[in-house]
Amino acid sequence: ARFEDVRSGLERAVAQDPGYAEGLASLSMHYINAVRFRFVGVDEAQGLREAAMGLAQRAVQHAPNSSSAFHALALAQWFARRVDESLSSNRTALRLNPNDTELAADLSMRLSMRMQWEPAMHLYREAVSRDPFLLVTCRVTAFLYHYAAGRYADALEEVRQAYAPEVIYTHIMR
């Protein structure tokens, strides 16, 4: 499905059921992905970031035990540069669903961007041990860890394992 088709479908679902927490969370994440992967222009990006925050907050209100709602909130906060709040929301999401390897990998990546290597690598190793085929972005954690320590061959090996030509992270890491 095209980006716009998914967006309009999620918007319809949320309009029909404004208390549908999973729909709110999914639409929030969809808006954030539109911003971070530049599916929209700069003019639209700020509005989508704000809308994503509101949707995620509503999702948490409607479903305070939903890991998806807190994950959406964590992403909205991260892209609003509310980093400490984002990490807290991500930890809450992971506490609500400790078996979600994508949540663990996402928190791992965010911690690595803050050079908090020990917790980042612990989460990374745990996530990869459970799901060796995680998204490419998960490999960013190990790449940054090795690169920051000057282990460039190990960093490059992470890039090789994450090879996905359509994802910008692999090009940047190479």
Side-chain angles (χ1 to χ4, degrees):
R2 290 178 330 127
F3 171 79
E4 284 302 322
D5 295 337
V6 173
R7 178 179 174 169
S8 62
L10 286 169
E11 287 171 345
R12 274 193 314 276
V14 168
Q16 289 172 359
D17 185 356
Y20 177 38
E22 292 302 312
L24 293 165
S26 294
L27 184 56
S28 174
M29 288 188 207
H30 192 71
Y31 284 171
I32 287 299
N33 286 337
V35 171
R36 74 173 158 171
F37 299 124
R38 299 183 192 262
F39 293 143
V40 296
V42 175
D43 295 337
E44 190 178 359
Q46 183 57 33
L48 286 181
R49 273 194 295 278
E50 291 170 7
M53 182 70 73
L55 289 162
Q57 289 168 335
R58 284 177 44 209
V60 168
Q61 288 171 349
H62 288 291
N65 292 318
S66 167
S67 62
S68 299
F70 275 98
H71 191 204
L73 183 59
L75 289 173
Q77 290 166 329
W78 183 268
F79 286 94
R81 295 186 176 103
R82 293 164 46 182
V83 174
D84 291 333
E85 292 173 53
S86 172
L87 295 174
S88 177
S89 294
N90 204 319
R91 286 184 180 105
T92 299
L94 192 57
R95 209 169 29 258
L96 290 168
N97 188 358
N99 296 316
D100 189 327
T101 55
E102 286 186 36
L103 281 173
D106 191 53
L107 179 55
S108 160
M109 182 176 69
R110 309 265 175 234
L111 291 171
S112 72
M113 290 177 178
R114 303 212 48 206
M115 298 177 70
Q116 295 177 5
W117 301 121
E118 190 173 320
M121 290 305 293
H122 172 77
L123 285 167
Y124 169 79
R125 288 183 185 111
E126 186 176 304
V128 170
S129 73
R130 289 183 180 174
D131 182 359
F133 302 105
L134 274 171
L135 297 173
V136 171
T137 54
C138 175
R139 296 283 179 187
V140 172
T141 298
F143 169 83
L144 291 172
Y145 173 70
H146 293 305
Y147 188 85
R151 293 185 299 271
Y152 303 122
D154 293 335
L156 190 55
E157 182 56 30
E158 288 298 329
V159 177
R160 287 187 186 112
Q161 290 182 36
Y163 182 73
E166 71 283 359
V167 178
I168 191 69
Y169 294 125
T170 57
H171 296 288
I172 292 170
M173 290 186 293
R174 282 184 190 271

